[in-house]
Amino acid sequence: MICAAQVALDVPLTRLFSYAVDGGLLAVGERVFVPFGHRVLSGVVAGLEEVAEGSMTLKAVQSVPRDLPCLSPEWLALCRFVADYYHHPLGQVIATALPAVFRIPEVFTPAQPPLLYRCDDVEALLARLAARATAQRRVAQALAVPQTAASLRALAAPAMRWIASWLEQGWIEAVPETAMAKGKAATNAPVPNPEQARAVEAIASAEGFVPFLLFGVTGSGKTEVYLQTIATVLARGKQALVLVPEINLTPQAESAFRARFPQARIVSLHSRLNDSERAQGWLAAMRGEADIVLGTRLAVLAPLPRLGLVVVDEEHDASFKQQDGLRYSARDIAVYRASQEGIPVVLGSATPSLESWRNAESGRYRLLELPARAVPGAALPELRVLSMRRAPQRDGLHESAIAAIGRALDRGEQALVFINRRGYAPTLACGECGWSASCRHCSARLVLHLGARRLRCHHCGYELRIPPACPDCGNQDLKPLGRGTQRLEENLQALFPGRNILRIDRDSTRRKGAMDAALEAVHAGEADILVGTQMLAKGHDFPRLNCVLVLEADSGLFSVDYRAEERLFALLTQVAGRAGRREQPGEVLVQTQFPEHPFYAQLLQRDYRVFADRALSERRDLRLPPFAAWALFRAEAQQLDSALEFLRTVKQCFVPEPGLTIGDPVAATMLKKSGLERAQLLVSAENRQLLQRALAMAEPAMDRLKAGRIRWSLDVDPAEV
Ligand code: ADP
Ligand code: ZN
Ligand code: ZN
């Protein structure tokens, strides 16, 4: 008998691959390099078996780098669960979870241990910097709290050059992350209000797996509940995993955590890190050296040997669901992980996902409520819905909205105008013949970007110079149709001459560090009116912002996607949450063409419960999730017919069963994208167990389809259909 290793490789095949192990010891969980075809691949040993000598001719494991400690059986079990649930090859799940440096057949040699930079006397440092060096001053200010290189680079791209020179002058110091224990005292925690205290107490005293839904209005102090609960977790010598949605918020959250827990080792994991930083953070998590792991969705797959608590902040956020490759929900995996570990998990939101809300209603999750804003005196803002029908308006802005912005500015405050569409106008059109600019590769309009003098497709990136005349009829008077952030910026500038208008969207913040610079400008009071997309809706705390205007919200009400209304409710609640976070009362205005729509009545009631009750009863009647479990097959091809044909063969892989509905293949709502035509097939089951069983039964037949040339994917619990 000889020993063979079953290796999980990053290839699109469900099975493991056997390799002979020559002599040396090899354990399950070890990273190995193996020959595969003409290449060498990096894989992970998922199992060991005895095979009869000579029964097979096995290739041998080529080498064992030992740069990654052996992955634990618990971690491999987590990956197996994910592979089973999402019907994705184990090797690709492991590859998704591992940092890039451990996915390639090269030995990883860590650079020096990561350093934290800090300054004991920020005032003195600032005094040495030129008054006009705003980016340098921003970095200097951040050093009041120990900062990683990644966070500093996020603040200003050249930050590490300045840091090097400040270090040389002895103005700041660099400490290895591991030596932070003798850090400064923690910043004072506010005294929790009774609701916060109750929540902290409930979570901290939970024994075993208890899922909590922390339902707290915006500004109710959910973060404080996380911090105080984590303090109890650290005191017990356990690790805490905190998932946050938006990449832009990670440095902010990191600073808050470092200020509160100067003695703890905090590691952040998100896509802005370079490969080596991510690998080192991951290793610190895996070795149990990191006390708090703070990250975006990918952090949910980090190995954490002494995990004591999982927190998912803004649990309803769409960014927790990965939309390509392994289409996992980090929130769902977080809950599963907590159940495996027998620990509490806290899902926090002002507008919980309807899935989580239903779980709280049915008693599966324990509901904790924070019904009021935490800062004494801060009330929820006043909300008004402005009907645009036959209303007095200028440039598409309601007169009362213009007046409200004017009043806010006169008081020396800021206003935010929110429109969820970037660019100048959604398209360019000809009034003579009806032509409008559309993408040649997608079923989509081309968006007008006036500044760049381009028409751009927001789906595939295709772009064109603005044509001088209509390509169909030669009319030279082409008109922008509708409005995006850039046009809004222009309108507002005309309405409020002399005021500073700051636009924050994906175009204005493309440059590294631009987002943080913009946020800094808002805090410094350099902007009077902010114009922004949903990038601005989440989490940010602008003390001087008391007036928010929302434009073009209606599109969410008439979408083909059954989740659109839920998202709109969450979005408007978040946007409204930006206003009046301090003593001054805030004002939120929403413009609509459909003021009589029940959605707005519910929004005006300011009661998520009322909305959730109606939305859930509609879903129950229509058998939509969470009252059904869905899996969506997507296929794309040059011709729609081939995609449909492929999905028909997929359909045949399923065995009919009561409670299971296999739909018919249909064209996708947006038929064409990046030159390919797309189709989809929906599988719906009464519950998750039934869906999982059906998918598992179909798997062997589906495996045989994988050899084909069609690009396809399976999305379990799809976020968008
Ligand atoms: P949420 O995450 O629920 O939107 P935050 O955690 O951001 O709310 O808290 C909003 C504000 O309230 C923050 O400025 C925070 O410092 C403050 N805060 C939280 N808890 C308290 C408290 N118990 N007393 C006073 N201020 C508090
Ligand atoms: Zn024309
Ligand atoms: Zn396109």
Side-chain angles (χ1 to χ4, degrees), residues 36 186 420:
F36 189 84
N420 212 3

Side-chain angles (χ1 to χ4, degrees), residues 154-306:
L155 279 180
M160 293 316 289
R161 266 206 343 257
W162 308 329
I163 291 287
S165 106
W166 299 345
L167 276 172
E168 210 172 271
Q169 315 267 0
W171 296 345
I172 64 169
E173 59 174 337
V175 210
E177 250 182 13
T178 41
M180 276 308 296
K182 52 182 183 352
K184 287 196 277 186
T187 52
N188 288 336
V191 179
N193 60 38
E195 285 83 16
Q196 287 174 317
R198 215 170 303 137
V200 172
E201 162 65 20
I203 304 162
S205 65
E207 278 175 36
F209 168 58
V210 188
F212 291 96
L213 179 61
L214 179 62
F215 169 48
V217 298
T218 51
S220 59
K222 293 185 286 295
T223 313
E224 196 51 45
V225 171
Y226 308 147
L227 289 168
Q228 302 206 11
T229 312
I230 288 170
T232 70
V233 172
L234 300 187
R236 287 196 308 252
K238 299 282 195 178
Q239 293 175 298
L241 170 65
V242 182
L243 302 178
V244 294
E246 178 93 351
I247 182 67
N248 294 314
L249 293 178
T250 317
Q252 279 182 26
E254 205 177 315
S255 294
F257 276 75
R258 282 194 201 288
R260 184 63 64 82
F261 303 112
Q263 324 269 313
R265 179 140 179 219
I266 300 170
V267 153
S268 64
L269 291 175
H270 49 78
S271 53
R272 261 203 210 167
L273 303 176
N274 66 35
D275 286 351
S276 172
E277 286 164 346
R278 187 168 159 214
Q280 295 201 54
W282 211 81
L283 286 170
M286 175 181 194
R287 295 194 181 110
E289 294 159 7
D291 300 306
I292 301 174
V293 172
L294 184 68
T296 49
R297 66 168 177 261
L298 55 87
V300 80
L301 293 172
L304 296 153
R306 31 182 201 96

Side-chain angles (χ1 to χ4, degrees), residues 318-525:
S319 74
F320 286 123
K321 171 87 182 180
Q322 175 138 312
Q323 303 282 13
D324 55 11
L326 172 60
R327 292 167 165 79
Y328 66 99
S329 156
R331 183 208 45 221
D332 292 353
I333 296 179
V335 174
Y336 172 80
R337 255 192 114 153
S339 77
Q340 283 314 94
E341 301 272 348
I343 57 170
V345 54
V346 183
L347 309 180
S349 178
T351 50
S353 64
L354 290 175
E355 282 82 0
S356 298
W357 186 252
R358 181 176 174 237
N359 281 330
E361 284 198 318
S362 70
R364 284 191 55 209
Y365 290 0
R366 276 181 60 188
L367 185 65
L368 300 170
E369 252 185 284
L370 303 179
R373 289 205 150 170
V375 172
L380 281 176
E382 190 192 324
L383 185 69
R384 276 197 290 155
V385 171
L386 302 176
S387 169
M388 294 303 283
R389 282 209 220 120
R390 293 183 297 276
Q393 49 186 283
R394 271 187 287 163
D395 291 335
L397 295 168
H398 198 288
E399 285 290 359
S400 345
I402 298 172
I405 295 174
R407 284 194 303 272
L409 299 184
D410 289 343
R411 289 193 304 263
E413 298 168 3
Q414 292 167 322
L416 164 65
V417 186
F418 176 91
I419 184 168
N420 212 3
R421 188 191 288 145
R422 63 194 170 89
Y424 186 83
T427 195
L428 187 67
C430 169
E432 295 291 319
C433 75
W435 170 89
S436 74
S438 54
C439 178
R440 92 168 44 171
H441 309 289
C442 306
S443 326
R445 300 255 185 78
L446 289 175
V447 178
L448 177 62
H449 286 254
L450 212 53
R453 318 213 110 271
R454 287 273 193 286
L455 292 167
R456 271 191 200 132
C457 175
H458 285 188
H459 299 280
C460 73
Y462 171 74
E463 56 175 53
L464 272 182
R465 287 247 286 284
I466 298 174
C470 172
D472 283 1
C473 75
N475 171 18
Q476 296 196 349
D477 190 21
L478 294 177
K479 292 236 163 48
L481 213 64
R483 156 168 71 179
T485 46
Q486 293 174 14
R487 191 173 200 178
L488 179 58
E489 184 183 5
E490 194 179 280
N491 296 155
L492 287 164
Q493 194 67 78
L495 287 167
F496 298 98
R499 296 295 190 172
N500 281 327
I501 300 183
L502 180 66
R503 174 167 59 86
I504 302 187
D505 59 21
R506 205 128 61 80
D507 299 309
S508 78
T509 56
R510 208 165 295 261
R511 223 169 14 84
K512 222 176 174 181
M515 179 67 182
D516 299 271
L519 294 178
E520 202 61 37
V522 178
H523 284 289

